[in-house]
Amino acid sequence: MIYAFLGWCLEVSYHVVKSKKFINRGFLNGPVCPIYGVGMVILIFFLTPLSNNFLLLFIGSVLLTSMLEFITGFVLEKIFHDKWWNYSQEPFNIKGYICLTFSIAWGLGAILILNIVHPMITVLVSFLQNKIGLLLLILVSGCFIADFIITVSGILEIKKKLKILEEIAENLQSYSEDVGEYIYKGMTLAIKTKENIKTKLDEQKLEIEDNFNDSKQKIEELKMKYESIKKEKSFVHKRLEEAFPNIKKKLDKIDHHKND
C-alpha cells in the first residue's frame, strides 16, 4: 500500500513537470497506483539478496518490471479493449506496452529504492506490527477494494456508452446515405417531369418526399440523443479521460465517424 501511494506520487509529479498541471494518473480514483505496489513487492521478494550487487540488481529490476508492465498492459487492453498507456512513439518499444527508456528508469529506480528508501520504510512498518497497524491495514484495504469496484463499474459504463454512441453514429451514417439517395431520386423525377414522361410521377415524388423528411427527422433525433449521452459523464469517466488520453481519442474517433 505504501509503495502504491509513492508510485502515485511519482506518476503525478512526472506529469506535473511534463504537462504543467495536476492529473490523477492512477487507474483508481484514490492516491494509489497498484502496479507500483505490486511491482515493489515482487522486487523486494526476489531481489533483496542482490541489493549489494548493483549490476545484477539493475538487470533483474529491468526484467521483472518490464514483464509486469507488459503483462498488466496486455491484460488491461484485453479486458477493456483500450491501451491504458502507449509507448508506441518511444524507440525500442514492444507493442507499446513497454519501452527501453522506462525499463532502464525502473532498473535505476529499483537500485535507489532497495538500498535507500526500503530500509526506512521497513523501520516505519516495524512500528505498525500491532493492533493499530492491523486496523489501519484493514481500513486502507477496504478503501482500496471499494475504489476498485467503483472504478471498474465506471469503466464498464464508459464501454457501454461508447458502444451506444458507435451504434448511433452508424445509424446516422445510414440515414444520411438514405437522404442522399432520396435527393438523387427527387432530381431524377424532376428531370423526367421536365421531359413530360407519362408515369405516376406525382405519387413517386410524394413517397420520396415522405421518406426524405422521415430520414431527416430520424437524423435530428439521433443527433440529439448522441449529444445527450455524450454530455452525461460521471466523475470516473471525466477523470479517466484526463488521465488516459486514449479513451478521449476513441470518443473523438466516433465523433469523426458520426460527422462523416
Side-chain angles (χ1 to χ4, degrees):
M1 294 296 181
I2 291 171
Y3 280 115
F5 170 70
L6 293 177
W8 179 85
C9 292
L10 179 65
E11 280 281 336
V12 168
S13 299
Y14 173 76
H15 285 279
V16 165
V17 172
K18 186 178 178 181
S19 61
K20 309 299 181 186
K21 65 177 182 177
F22 171 83
I23 299 175
N24 180 1
R25 279 284 298 176
F27 172 75
L28 301 179
N29 298 302
V32 285
C33 284
I35 190 172
Y36 283 90
V38 173
M40 280 312 305
V41 169
I42 291 173
L43 294 183
I44 291 164
F45 184 81
F46 286 104
L47 301 181
T48 296
L50 304 176
S51 57
N52 293 323
N53 189 324
F54 287 177
L55 179 59
L56 290 179
L57 179 59
F58 173 76
I59 294 172
S61 300
V62 168
L63 292 176
L64 288 174
T65 54
S66 297
M67 286 174 59
L68 175 64
E69 192 170 27
F70 185 92
I71 292 169
T72 304
F74 176 81
V75 170
L76 284 174
E77 184 173 11
K78 288 300 178 183
I79 294 174
F80 300 114
H81 306 291
D82 281 306
K83 264 190 168 67
W84 292 87
W85 58 86
N86 193 348
Y87 298 136
S88 297
Q89 303 302 318
E90 297 288 336
F92 305 105
N93 73 85
I94 300 178
K95 295 186 178 297
Y97 299 130
I98 59 175
C99 69
L100 183 61
T101 302
F102 281 99
S103 293
I104 291 174
W106 303 143
L108 295 173
I111 295 174
L112 174 68
I113 291 170
L114 287 176
N115 284 280
I116 298 175
V117 178
H118 188 62
M120 293 186 289
I121 289 179
T122 302
V123 173
L124 172 63
V125 172
S126 68
F127 287 112
L128 298 173
Q129 300 294 331
N130 49 43
K131 290 182 179 179
I132 294 177
L134 179 60
L135 182 62
L136 183 61
L137 181 60
I138 293 172
L139 179 63
V140 173
S141 298
C143 292
F144 179 90
I145 293 169
D147 194 353
F148 182 81
I149 293 171
I150 291 170
T151 301
V152 171
S153 298
I155 292 170
L156 294 176
E157 186 63 31
I158 292 171
K159 283 184 64 181
K160 182 180 177 182
K161 181 182 289 187
L162 289 175
K163 186 176 180 181
I164 292 172
L165 291 177
E166 283 177 346
E167 290 174 354
I168 293 175
E170 289 173 1
N171 288 332
L172 278 170
Q173 190 175 42
S174 176
Y175 282 124
S176 295
E177 289 172 358
D178 289 343
V179 168
E181 184 179 346
Y182 296 141
I183 291 173
Y184 171 76
K185 287 180 178 179
M187 291 176 66
T188 303
L189 277 176
I191 294 171
K192 286 181 179 179
T193 302
K194 190 174 180 180
E195 293 175 352
N196 295 318
I197 297 176
K198 294 181 179 181
T199 60
K200 294 182 179 180
L201 294 181
D202 289 340
E203 292 180 7
Q204 291 181 29
K205 184 179 179 182
L206 185 61
E207 181 183 355
I208 290 171
E209 286 179 351
D210 287 343
N211 290 333
F212 175 81
N213 291 330
D214 184 53
S215 293
K216 277 192 69 177
Q217 184 179 350
K218 286 179 179 177
I219 287 174
E220 292 304 317
E221 290 173 356
L222 285 172
K223 281 183 177 180
M224 289 176 63
K225 184 178 179 182
Y226 183 96
E227 293 301 326
S228 175
I229 294 173
K230 184 180 171 183
K231 288 177 181 177
E232 293 174 0
K233 292 182 182 179
S234 64
F235 167 77
V236 175
H237 190 157
K238 291 177 182 177
R239 187 188 67 77
L240 289 174
E241 264 194 3
E242 187 176 26
F244 302 98
N246 282 346
I247 295 176
K248 181 68 167 59
K249 286 180 182 178
K250 192 165 185 179
L251 181 58
D252 291 341
K253 186 177 179 181
I254 297 173
D255 271 346
H256 182 71
H257 180 59
K258 174 185 74 88
N259 293 330
D260 286 346

